[in-house]
Amino acid sequence: MHQAAEYVAEGRVVVVDFDLEKFFDRVNHDVLMSRLARHVTDKRLLRIVRRFLEVGMMWDGVGVKRYAGTPQGGPLSPLLANLLLDDLDKELERRGHCFCRYADDCNIYVKTQVAGERVLASIITFLEERLHLRVNRSKSAVAFVEERQFLGYRLLRGGRLGLAPRSIRRVKQRMRAITRRNRGVAFERVIGELNSFLTGWVTYFRYAECRTWLRRLDEWLRRKLRCFRLKQCKRPPAIFNFLRQLGVSKWSARELAGTVRSWWRKSRCPQAHQAMNKAWFDSLGLVSLFQRYVRLQP
């Protein structure tokens, strides 16, 4: 991502973003083995790799023989993917292009739209004729860098890194799934699952300029958790006792416990904020995206 940001800072603000359609499912075994044979002379090892590629898979409960592709999730698949796409790297280097590739995600950075269209057409020809890979033309495009995403990030003018809109939608979807009110699990378990997910997520996106977004996500998540915790109380007496234990006055606790508002609207009431404030969530060990992001900055 830092290398891509450098290219953009140099004025290459147009990206050639091509998508390899079902890459790990469409890798041609013969082409891959020929690339591997360039580096490995042990025929026994080559036979083992070939068997690894051709191992059968289950499809709707029926064993199916594999004629193309590499096993999804297999420890050898990413290495074989890099070995196959090394030809692409060498071709791009030979042409003098500025590019970044991670596994099957590859972006080429150019200065004009016309140059990008020309590069995309030639690279599609190379991939389909030389490597027998299929390019998804509907997902591939030549556009300004801020209109596309790369590895979950969005490149901005001047070489700055931001969060891609899709990454924000995905993290909120994951939060919704963990805090779903009908799960029927302990509140402490929900906090633990969130911490496990959010710690890795914010560490991955620590290079993005996203302080404002992280503050909003923290606030939104705390409201989701207030809603979840109030729903666990179920009945007005339990809500009243819960709020009183957290320091809410009798009158205020009785007012929230007796309201007929939805759980989501209740979670926004002052009483809920007073009882389940940020300090309360900190005491439970909830990870703050913003605070962890700040600690990760150099």
Side-chain angles (χ1 to χ4, degrees), residues 66-204:
R66 187 192 303 272
Y67 295 98
T70 61
Q72 289 278 8
L76 192 58
S77 295
L79 177 62
L80 294 176
N82 273 337
L83 191 146
L84 176 63
L85 291 175
D86 186 59
D87 279 16
L88 172 63
D89 297 341
K90 295 297 189 293
E91 179 67 15
L92 294 174
E93 289 172 357
R94 186 185 67 81
R95 298 183 185 187
H97 290 308
C98 296
F99 69 97
C100 292
R101 183 178 68 80
Y102 185 88
D104 60 325
D105 290 320
C106 184
N107 281 352
I108 306 170
Y109 300 92
V110 297
K111 293 186 176 181
T112 66
Q113 186 81 14
V114 174
E117 298 287 353
R118 184 175 64 251
V119 170
L120 179 60
S122 63
I123 291 302
I124 288 176
T125 301
F126 174 82
L127 289 169
E128 294 186 342
E129 294 185 359
R130 289 277 299 276
L131 300 183
H132 299 275
L133 297 172
R134 185 178 299 176
V135 176
N136 189 329
R137 287 167 171 77
S138 64
K139 292 185 179 180
S140 302
V142 177
F144 289 108
V145 288
E146 59 264 29
E147 298 174 12
R148 308 293 291 182
Q149 71 166 21
F150 183 48
L151 302 178
Y153 283 86
R154 186 163 69 107
L155 281 158
L156 307 172
R157 296 295 178 99
R160 295 178 297 117
L161 294 174
L163 284 177
R166 187 184 303 175
S167 298
I168 297 172
R169 290 196 297 270
R170 285 179 175 176
V171 70
K172 294 187 77 171
Q173 287 173 358
R174 180 63 177 153
M175 289 178 179
R176 285 191 185 97
I178 295 175
T179 60
R180 196 174 65 249
R181 296 194 295 272
N182 60 355
R183 288 191 66 195
V185 298
F187 191 67
E188 291 74 15
R189 177 178 168 183
V190 172
I191 296 291
E193 291 180 11
L194 285 169
N195 287 346
S196 178
F197 167 68
L198 295 176
T199 300
W201 186 87
V202 74
T203 302
Y204 178 82

